[in-house]
């Protein structure tokens, strides 16, 4: 008993396996790995996306930062009905309604705090005039936190396509 | 009630609930007592019921046809079904017709959120319209005054026409044309301009056809916090709700009280609320040190003021605002009594009294401030002219303690209070002669505090805080109550009810009244109850 312990210097319950030399040798596995490396050198398998030169395609349902639709003359489509601030679970929309020079109801102030936004898309779903949308967009970087409060001008100048919670060929979901 | 005068009652069943109502009760009122709201447009408790909107049709067992609940009286043994298949079908049909020409512009309509057409359509209407024809378009008409008319939204309930005919008794609106061309219109472009009760048609309009220009596009109904209050703009003391968004009063709406204002209020009171939202308020107590007013904590200010006031026995001349609560005025009176007594005055703007002919106990009273009666009962006398100016001569030349509560002192001479030993100013804004004060204590307006007003008929009515106080402002009863407890050894009032309880010592009219028992609709003064 004592002799065996001295020989092996192993923990009590480890069982040593007796294997033939050719199986116990690492040479075979090493050659296999090197062969794979050479195979990939000849026929490369690309995994890395060269961002930002190349970009992944987003799901049509991706919900990113907002877009405000506008009329041809540059007025926002929003009629300041107040449903989006009412439904917003993150309470991130600030709206002050008013009357424009044509006597229409319009948003004097319309601000979305994109930091508070949880991108649920309910503002888009509730909007009766298809004005506010969440966009297919994910690159958000700014130098200040204040810049993440998007005002009306900024929301109207967003270029990204709208999320397809909404089908453009059937705008009123009829 | 003696047995001979006991009213006859009839028994009925509304949606399975059996109960008794006085004979002659209309079905719609009987149903309301069980908590069943029968949809209705043309019926309004303050007006006659023409039964023309056909929205309140209910089924009565045994009756061959559906009955309009707004005019049909409950007969003994009636079994009324408000939501039977027939009744629902009839009402769904009525709603479909009402929506035939309705523009469905809820997103831009001011009534959205408090609109009966929205509510009933959501509850009982068809999910989709079936109309294929183009809608009739009438457009927007300016009715004059504060009222704007959107003809397309109108459901022709004629509440507005009947209000002007029956209550204002100044027929300025009428239904013109017939059939689907029928529309509410004014006569010869005269409009509603000049009638100070006209804005009530906006309140009673069940849809967004009549809207207020003042409130146009300002706030959504669901954004408003509503607090019961009392209109501060004349001695009538109309019961109102203060409707507030973002700590700003957006509009005043009448709150029904059969004893005071019925369902109505005047445009003068309704539109005169901007002063509640005024900015530039005093936000911290100011104490004069080396000739300059220095902001200080409440405890330091009141300690210094108590030290300065203690031992003054030359008397007090006070100038109070008739917009101040009973509790505030009582606190001024008690402080004046503790400092040797003295007279107090208030100044109030006054104008022509305008009675509402169809509800003559309601009028725009000539005194244009809420608590003139309370001030008179608590020993203050009227001074100055009908513009609310002048009358400060006595206080100006006084060399004792001057105490001003809430009065802006706009017209006071530049050296007002310079001759006094101690000039205490309790108010909202620091301007003019108030800058001469030794102590400036910021107090709250009626919209920021709990308290009570006494109206012209001797009714004491409570109001509740609707907006946050600016800065360190406190109710005047609290400021002066704590100050008084520092001058003479009495407990300071902790709640408005404590301050109210002391009023009985100052005027027997308030004796025996309890603040907690005033309720939402107020109580007459003790003596006028006898």
């Amino acid at each position: 008993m004592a002799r065996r312990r001295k020989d092996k210097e192993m923990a009590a319950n480890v069982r040593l396996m007796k294997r033939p030399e050719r199986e116990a040798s690492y040479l075979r596995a090493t050659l296999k790995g090197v062969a794979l490396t050479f195979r990939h050198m000849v026929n490369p398998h690309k995994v890395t996306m060269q961002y930002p030169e190349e970009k992944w395609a987003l799901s049509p349902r991706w919900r990113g930062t907002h877009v405000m639709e506008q009329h041809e003359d540059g007025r926002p489509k929003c009629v300041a009905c107040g449903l989006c601030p009412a439904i917003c679970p993150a309470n991130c929309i600030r709206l002050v309604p008013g009357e424009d020079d044509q006597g229409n109801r319009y948003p004097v102030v319309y601000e979305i705090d994109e930091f508070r936004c949880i991108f649920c898309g309910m503002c888009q779903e509730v909007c009766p005039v298809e004005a506010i949308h969440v966009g297919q967009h994910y690159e958000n970087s700014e130098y200040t936190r204040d810049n993440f409060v998007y005002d009306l001008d900024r929301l109207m100048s967003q270029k990204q396509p709208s999320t397809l919670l909404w089908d453009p060929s059937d705008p009123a979901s009829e | 009630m003696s047995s001979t005068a006991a009213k006859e009652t009839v028994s009925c069943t509304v949606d399975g609930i059996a109960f008794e109502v006085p004979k002659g009760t209309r079905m719609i009122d009987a149903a309301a007592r069980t908590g069943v709201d029968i949809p209705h447009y043309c019926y309004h408790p303050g007006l006659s019921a023409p039964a023309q909107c056909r929205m309140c049709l209910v089924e009565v067992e045994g009756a061959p046809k559906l009955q309009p609940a707004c005019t049909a009286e409950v007969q003994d043994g009636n079994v009324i079904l408000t939501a039977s298949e027939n009744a629902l079908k009839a009402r769904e049909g009525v709603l479909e017709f009402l929506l035939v020409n309705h523009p469905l512009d809820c997103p831009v309509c001011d009534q959205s959120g408090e609109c009966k057409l929205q509510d009933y359509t959501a509850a009982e209407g068809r999910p989709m319209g079936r109309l294929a024809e183009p809608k009739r378009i009438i457009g927007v008409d300016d009715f004059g005054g504060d009222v704007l008319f959107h003809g397309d939204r109108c459901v022709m309930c004629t509440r507005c026409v009947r209000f002007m005919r029956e209550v204002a008794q100044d027929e300025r609106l009428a239904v013109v044309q017939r059939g689907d061309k029928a529309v509410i219109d004014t006569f010869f472009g005269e409009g509603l301009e000049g009638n100070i009760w006209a804005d009530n048609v906006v309140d009673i309009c069940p849809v967004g056809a009549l809207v207020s220009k003042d409130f146009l596009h300002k706030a959504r109904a669901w954004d408003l916090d509503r607090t019961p209050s009392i209109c501060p703009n004349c001695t009538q003391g109309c019961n109102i709700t203060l409707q507030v968004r973002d700590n700003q009063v957006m509009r005043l709406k009448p709150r029904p009280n059969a004893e005071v204002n019925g369902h109505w209020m005047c445009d003068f009171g309704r539109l005169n609320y901007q002063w509640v939202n005024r900015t530039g308020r005093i936000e911290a107590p100011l104490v004069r040190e080396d000739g300059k007013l220095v902001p200080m904590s409440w405890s330091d200010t009141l300690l210094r003021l108590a030290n300065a006031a203690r031992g003054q026995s030359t008397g007090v001349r006070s100038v109070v605002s008739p917009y101040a609560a009973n509790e505030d005025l009582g606190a001024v009176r008690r402080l004046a009594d503790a400092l040797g007594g003295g007279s107090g005055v208030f100044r109030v703007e006054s104008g022509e009294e305008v009675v509402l002919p169809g509800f003559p106990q309601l009028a725009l009273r000539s005194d244009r401030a809420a608590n003139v009666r309370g001030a008179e009962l608590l020993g203050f006398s009227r001074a100055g002219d009908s513009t609310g100016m002048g009358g400060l001569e006595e206080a100006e030349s006084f060399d004792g303690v001057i105490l001003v509560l809430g009065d802006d002192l706009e017209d006071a001479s530049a050296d007002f209070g310079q001759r006094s030993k101690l000039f205490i100013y309790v108010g909202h804004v620091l301007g003019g002669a108030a800058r001469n004060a030794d102590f400036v204590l910021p107090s709250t307006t009626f919209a920021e505090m709990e308290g009570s007003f006494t109206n012209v008929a001797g009714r004491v009515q409570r109001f509740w805080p609707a907006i946050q106080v600016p800065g360190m402002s406190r109710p005047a009863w609290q400021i002066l109550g704590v100050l008084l407890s520092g001058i003479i050894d009495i407990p300071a009032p902790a709640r408005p009810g404590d301050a109210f309880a002391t009023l009985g010592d100052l005027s027997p009219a308030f004796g025996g009244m309890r603040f907690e028992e005033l309720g939402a609709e107020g109580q007459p003064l003790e003596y006028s109850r006898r």
Side-chain angles (χ1 to χ4, degrees), chain B residues 160-176:
Chain B
C160 49
V161 177
R162 281 175 288 132
F163 172 81
M164 293 309 285
R165 182 189 302 146
E166 295 164 11
V167 183
Q169 295 180 9
D170 181 12
E171 283 203 54
R172 298 195 185 210
L173 297 175
V175 182
V176 299

Side-chain angles (χ1 to χ4, degrees), chain B residues 137-401:
Chain B
I137 293 170
I138 293 173
V140 184
D141 192 3
D142 187 347
F143 271 8
D146 185 45
V147 183
L148 208 58
F149 176 64
H150 290 260
D152 304 316
R153 298 175 185 161
C154 181
V155 295
M156 295 307 290
C157 69
T158 69
R159 276 188 192 181
C160 49
V161 177
R162 281 175 288 132
F163 172 81
M164 293 309 285
R165 182 189 302 146
E166 295 164 11
V167 183
Q169 295 180 9
D170 181 12
E171 283 203 54
R172 298 195 185 210
L173 297 175
V175 182
V176 299
Q177 303 279 27
R178 287 190 293 179
D180 80 319
K181 292 192 178 64
V183 65
I184 307 290
D185 210 346
T186 54
F187 295 112
F188 312 117
E190 181 194 13
L192 295 168
E193 187 72 53
N195 188 306
I196 68 152
W197 307 101
D199 243 359
N200 286 301
V201 301
V202 175
D203 298 339
I204 60 177
C205 182
V207 293
L210 295 164
V211 293
S212 161
K213 288 181 204 163
D214 178 66
F215 186 67
L216 197 65
H217 305 326
K218 245 164 74 177
R220 304 307 264 167
W222 58 81
D223 283 339
L224 294 166
D225 295 324
R226 294 164 169 84
T227 309
S229 190
I230 302 299
C231 176
N233 293 318
C234 86
T235 50
Q236 175 72 30
C238 287
N239 289 212
I240 57 167
T241 49
L242 284 173
Q243 308 208 345
V244 176
R245 194 198 64 189
D246 296 343
N247 213 33
Q248 298 271 303
V249 175
M250 289 284 155
R251 62 176 177 182
L252 310 185
K253 283 277 182 187
R255 178 163 59 92
N257 184 342
E259 301 294 324
V260 182
N261 58 316
H263 302 270
W264 324 115
M265 74 183 288
C266 72
D267 294 4
F268 176 83
R270 179 196 301 269
L271 299 176
N272 194 356
Y273 61 86
Q274 283 81 2
W275 62 271
V276 181
N277 295 335
R278 76 196 290 180
T279 52
R281 296 271 298 269
I282 315 169
E283 299 207 342
L286 306 171
V287 178
R288 189 165 296 281
E289 261 187 359
D290 306 328
K292 282 202 310 206
L293 285 171
V294 184
M296 228 174 249
S297 74
W298 271 117
S299 48
D300 286 351
T301 307
L302 291 178
L303 269 175
R304 286 177 189 225
L305 179 50
N307 287 335
R310 201 177 294 124
Q312 297 278 4
S313 56
T314 46
V316 177
R317 294 287 176 275
S318 48
V319 180
V320 299
S321 156
Y323 289 98
N326 292 325
E327 292 77 9
D328 296 352
L329 297 171
V332 172
R333 189 84 260 159
R334 279 155 62 83
L335 186 64
D337 290 349
L339 299 177
S343 62
V345 295
F346 64 87
R347 310 186 298 160
V348 60
E349 218 173 298
S350 54
E352 198 192 342
E353 181 162 311
V354 187
V355 179
L356 179 61
F359 193 79
Q361 63 260 53
L362 171 59
L364 168 62
R365 303 289 172 178
S366 61
D367 289 335
R368 302 286 156 82
N371 208 15
V372 170
R373 185 65 186 276
E376 281 169 348
L377 285 169
L378 291 166
F380 297 93
S381 53
R382 188 184 294 256
D385 55 22
S386 64
T387 58
M389 301 288 172
L392 294 174
E393 299 76 18
E394 201 188 341
E396 211 151 16
S397 57
F398 188 61
D399 58 357
V401 178

Side-chain angles (χ1 to χ4, degrees), chain A residues 79 81-82 86 97-99 105 128, chain B residues 107-108 110 216-218 220 222:
Chain A
V79 296
C81 72
E99 195 176 43
R105 192 186 170 100
Chain B
V108 295
D110 266 342
L216 197 65
H217 305 326
K218 245 164 74 177
R220 304 307 264 167
W222 58 81

Side-chain angles (χ1 to χ4, degrees), chain A residues 128-172:
Chain A
V129 290
E130 311 296 344
I132 192 69
H133 297 280
V134 272
Q136 295 181 43
H137 181 255
Y138 54 88
E139 291 153 312
N140 306 304
S141 55
E142 293 289 347
Y143 287 106
T144 67
R145 292 180 157 262
D146 292 347
N147 286 354
F148 277 102
V149 180
Y150 287 13
D151 63 5
L152 196 56
D153 289 339
R154 173 119 191 228
L155 287 166
M156 289 202 293
S157 60
Q158 297 289 303
K159 294 284 181 280
Q160 67 265 28
S162 308
T163 296
L164 298 186
L165 291 174
W166 162 63
D167 177 2
S169 65
D170 177 21

